[in-house]
Amino acid sequence: RGDTGDILKSVCDSSGDTGINRLGMVKGKESSCSYTYKSNVTAIVSNFSLTEIDADYTQINIYGSNFQLSGSNRAFVTVDIASHNCNITTFYDDYIGCVVGSVPWGNHVPRVSISGYGYALITTNKILYFAQSVYSITPDVGSVAGGQLVTIHGRGFRSNASIQFFGIQELCEIVHW
């Protein structure tokens, strides 16, 4: 990719290779089939950071450029982290602030998508680490024979997790995430 863009040669409407003219048939009319990548229509993510708001939510700060390619309406931009939507709260051409709920523990990179332009190019090697934390377990006592509904409140749980209490051989049945 260069600053002036690269040209991708395509075949339109299964008409076959059209040779040097880069033309093909689209709905019965001869049309250009070229596609050009251009840096001036590419959103760039140059840095990002996270701040825990509380037990349930994390603020993500994304810095870069060209975030408003589709206009100043934040509805044309989406941010997700590990397939979890990050709700955009602040939106400028060079900054996006968003809030995400519990993200599975581990290293993740936010993905920015601009409607009509695709994904933002990430130019940093930075990653965000989300830790797993247990904040409370209620009730804190129950029978060794089971049968007690236990609520574990925390963050960073994965949907395929299994739960086993110390001293009990069987895994707990997970009723709700």
Side-chain angles (χ1 to χ4, degrees):
R1 297 178 203 164
D3 288 338
T4 58
D6 296 329
I7 295 179
L8 169 71
K9 187 174 177 185
S10 312
V11 176
C12 296
D13 201 28
S14 302
S15 61
D17 191 336
T18 59
I20 224 121
N21 295 330
R22 294 188 191 106
L23 297 176
M25 298 299 288
V26 178
K27 296 182 182 177
K29 293 184 178 180
E30 192 174 57
S31 300
S32 171
C33 291
S34 64
Y35 183 87
T36 305
Y37 292 101
K38 291 191 175 187
S39 59
N40 65 337
V41 293
T42 302
I44 305 290
V45 172
S46 57
N47 195 12
F48 42 80
S49 63
L50 66 81
T51 305
E52 288 186 11
I53 297 173
D54 57 28
D56 297 316
Y57 298 100
T58 302
Q59 169 77 30
I60 306 297
N61 302 299
I62 303 170
Y63 305 92
S65 60
N66 286 341
F67 295 144
Q68 292 185 342
L69 287 168
S70 291
S72 60
N73 185 343
R74 70 180 79 176
F76 294 117
V77 176
T78 58
V79 177
D80 68 75
I81 301 171
S83 300
H84 287 72
N85 181 53
C86 194
N87 183 34
I88 296 173
T89 57
T90 309
F91 178 61
Y92 300 108
D93 195 51
D94 59 354
Y95 171 80
I96 298 173
C98 62
V99 175
V100 65
S102 185
V103 173
W105 67 271
N107 296 320
H108 301 290
V109 174
R111 183 172 63 173
V112 177
S113 180
I114 314 292
S115 180
Y117 294 93
Y119 296 124
L121 177 66
I122 298 175
T123 61
T124 179
N125 291 328
K126 194 170 187 178
I127 55 172
L128 299 176
Y129 179 74
F130 290 82
Q132 184 181 57
S133 297
V134 174
Y135 299 122
S136 65
I137 300 175
T138 54
D140 60 0
V141 66
S143 168
V144 295
Q148 176 71 38
L149 183 63
V150 177
T151 300
I152 302 172
H153 183 242
R155 67 181 323 140
F157 302 126
R158 294 184 181 213
S159 61
N160 62 349
S162 59
I163 299 171
Q164 184 176 20
F165 289 103
F166 181 75
I168 306 297
Q169 290 183 351
E170 295 180 30
L171 293 176
C172 296
E173 175 188 355
I174 297 174
V175 178
H176 176 70
W177 279 105

